[in-house]
Amino acid sequence: MGWWGAPGLDAARLARQLNQLGLPGVRFRPVFFTPYFSKHQGQRCAGVQVHRIGPPTDLLAAGLALLGALAEQGVQINPDWLQKLLGIPFTPDLLEPTQALAHTHRWTAAARAYAQAQLQTCWLYPRPNLAA
């Protein structure tokens, strides 16, 4: 699913930290690479390769956990970019890898509650599984 990294990272520690989270459907493997383009062009980078090992269940949580783990190793994450990407105000706890699943579960529950309360009258056919 992709390689993620930057110069100066500890690839083995990054992979171990992310795998210990037990995120469903993905595993992380340490990698080393030299990009041909991007801001790290020509520099040796360390990071992780993301492997999908099952049906993608919560890729947003995996992405948040990855961003948080990269930030813990010193990679600069632009809070304005993350806020625009997610559509919610940035708070530092968004970059705590162990909280990634909790955040996405909370957002999913809020979206379902909103849909149940606000959108039910707009649908042609009822959606009984929405409350799940």
Side-chain angles (χ1 to χ4, degrees):
M1 289 181 54
W3 293 9
W4 301 87
L9 297 182
D10 183 341
R13 188 180 87 182
L14 186 63
R16 189 172 43 255
Q17 177 187 10
L18 290 165
N19 285 326
Q20 286 174 349
L21 296 174
L23 297 166
V26 294
R27 290 295 172 265
F28 301 88
R29 182 179 74 146
V31 294
F32 299 89
F33 56 96
T34 303
Y36 291 108
F37 58 91
S38 85
K39 67 180 179 180
H40 300 305
Q41 178 178 352
Q43 299 178 54
R44 182 167 165 81
C45 295
V48 292
Q49 182 177 17
V50 182
H51 290 273
R52 194 175 84 177
I53 60 167
T57 53
D58 201 342
L59 295 179
L60 179 58
L64 278 178
L66 177 58
L67 280 176
L70 289 169
E72 285 180 358
Q73 287 204 26
V75 173
Q76 294 294 321
I77 306 295
N78 183 339
D80 293 331
W81 169 81
L82 190 57
Q83 181 172 305
K84 289 175 186 172
L85 180 68
L86 296 174
I88 60 169
F90 175 80
T91 57
D93 68 321
L94 286 176
L95 294 179
E96 292 178 17
T98 57
Q99 295 298 314
L101 277 173
H103 285 304
T104 57
H105 288 316
R106 194 167 47 253
W107 295 334
T108 301
R112 283 191 176 144
Y114 175 82
Q116 187 69 36
Q118 302 295 323
L119 303 177
Q120 190 74 25
T121 59
C122 300
W123 293 322
L124 182 57
Y125 303 105
R127 300 189 177 185
N129 64 344
L130 190 61

